[in-house]
Amino acid sequence: MAPGPDSLLVVRTSATRGRGSGLAAALGVLTGCVGWGLATAVGLTALLTASRLVYDTLRMCGAAYLVLLGAAALRHARKPPTPEPPASGASERTTTAPPGRRAAFRTGVATNLLNPKAGVFYMSLIPQFVPPDAPAFGATLLFTAIDTAELALWYWLLTRAASALSERVRRPVFRRRLEQLTGVAFLGFAADLLTDRSP
């Protein structure tokens, strides 16, 4: 639950596109976590530490994706506000219709699965809690489910809090600052991945 690209994505999506899209992004992140948990259960995440090439390839892809997200946020920040304010609630929903929830879900999945640190986290942390006499596969899935449930609660709280900003986000200045802040943060996460020398 420590702040990272996943949490930033959920906050930004909730604040700028509404809670529904924020929850879709969170569901995408959780899907990625389940994927990492399954990969850990069958031993695939061991490749991240056993093969520097695999880790670096995933690291570079993840950094490139974060650069794309950061650049997109900064590009949105430069867009001028719409000259004509909507006349009614219905027209407002039409003129400010955000990208679909499917896109938010896909972004959440990609942000999580392209982060090799998430895989290393699952591989290095979960096995420590598996009892010696317990089946590794089942125990790993159980701990993955516990982690996913905790994250689901965390993202539910994040989307609720961030979507409360939706009224203020309609102000062009606030929206611009939010996009600039998240854009720079995504680029910072990308730089962190690029300079990472673990595992």
Side-chain angles (χ1 to χ4, degrees):
M1 292 184 287
D6 294 339
S7 294
L8 179 63
L9 175 71
V10 171
V11 168
R12 175 179 178 260
T13 306
S14 300
T16 59
R17 300 180 185 175
R19 193 175 182 204
S21 292
L23 288 172
L27 183 60
V29 171
L30 295 174
T31 301
C33 291
V34 171
W36 282 121
L38 288 171
T40 301
V42 298
L44 287 180
T45 50
L47 287 172
L48 291 176
T49 54
S51 172
R52 187 74 206 185
L53 176 62
V54 172
Y55 184 87
D56 284 343
T57 300
L58 189 58
R59 179 172 62 88
M60 298 299 286
C61 290
Y65 190 70
L66 290 175
V67 168
L68 288 176
L69 290 179
L74 293 176
R75 187 173 62 250
H76 288 308
R78 297 181 61 184
K79 287 184 179 179
T82 52
E84 298 181 35
S88 66
S91 61
E92 180 177 341
R93 284 191 296 271
T94 302
T95 56
T96 61
R101 294 179 183 179
R102 289 182 182 178
F105 174 81
R106 289 193 299 268
T107 302
V109 172
T111 302
N112 185 266
L113 288 182
L114 289 176
N115 183 1
K117 291 184 178 182
V120 171
F121 170 81
Y122 271 89
M123 185 200 67
S124 60
L125 185 65
I126 289 182
Q128 297 181 39
F129 295 95
V130 177
D133 56 343
F137 184 83
T140 300
L141 292 185
L142 174 62
F143 288 124
T144 299
I146 293 171
D147 179 60
T148 303
E150 291 174 344
L151 286 174
L153 176 59
W154 169 243
Y155 289 139
W156 182 83
L157 293 172
L158 276 185
T159 57
R160 189 174 180 85
S163 62
L165 296 173
S166 59
E167 289 299 322
R168 291 194 63 194
V169 168
R170 289 176 186 166
R171 301 176 187 174
V173 173
F174 184 84
R175 186 184 190 96
R176 198 159 48 243
R177 293 293 178 264
L178 179 64
E179 293 285 15
Q180 289 171 345
L181 178 64
T182 55
V184 170
F186 277 128
L187 294 178
F189 284 124
D192 180 60
L193 268 184
L194 287 173
T195 57
D196 181 47
R197 290 293 175 263
S198 59

